[in-house]
Amino acid sequence: QVQLVESGGGLVQAGGSLRLSCAASRRTSSRNVMGWFRQAQGKEREFVAAIGWIGGSEYYADFVKGRFTIARDNAKNTLYLQMDSLKPEDTAVYYCAERGLSTVISTRSTDYAYWGQGTQVTVSS
């Protein structure tokens, strides 16, 4: 079992930036995939970005390409999401997740075994 705790959410104006962090309670396997998802009010949870732990292979949803950057610090057991050029439609609760045993990046929330509690991001126009 691993516990994931997100932080860094808040209120920001359109065009601004935020950096989300996700701290893991234990050293995750160096092969694990981790990702960020978000869920806006009244909508389904959607994939944002994912990263392979070794090699740092990254994958992004089309709507965040060029604006968001996922990164990880293996030594600190921490995952990050740098969010730039934020838009009001980015408003959502953002969750980090760990895939568990698989090393394959996935965009499906059902493929992720462990989840944080979420952090609210609100972008005002």
Side-chain angles (χ1 to χ4, degrees):
Q1 288 283 351
V2 61
Q3 290 184 327
L4 304 173
V5 179
E6 303 96 336
S7 61
L11 174 64
V12 64
Q13 289 187 331
S17 298
L18 283 174
R19 188 176 81 155
L20 306 183
S21 299
C22 173
S25 61
R26 61 154 175 78
R27 177 176 292 278
T28 60
S29 167
S30 59
R31 297 163 60 87
N32 281 8
V33 169
M34 295 194 74
W36 289 97
F37 290 76
R38 71 185 187 184
Q39 187 166 18
Q41 193 169 7
K43 297 186 178 181
E44 292 188 353
R45 190 168 299 188
E46 63 181 354
F47 171 79
V48 175
I51 186 168
W53 210 247
I54 291 181
S57 56
E58 301 167 23
Y59 189 81
Y60 297 93
D62 287 343
F63 54 79
V64 302
K65 284 181 180 177
R67 299 190 299 123
F68 291 10
T69 303
I70 191 171
R72 81 279 186 266
D73 185 329
N74 292 351
K76 295 182 178 180
N77 298 329
T78 302
L79 179 72
Y80 302 99
L81 185 68
Q82 177 67 41
M83 305 186 295
D84 299 318
S85 303
L86 283 161
K87 305 175 182 180
E89 51 264 42
D90 294 318
T91 295
V93 177
Y94 284 71
Y95 299 89
C96 70
E98 183 192 289
R99 246 211 101 167
L101 295 178
S102 177
T103 61
V104 177
I105 286 181
S106 172
T107 64
R108 300 187 304 181
S109 61
T110 52
D111 285 338
Y112 289 77
Y114 304 105
W115 292 84
Q117 82 289 348
T119 185
Q120 176 71 47
V121 171
T122 302
V123 184
S124 63
S125 57

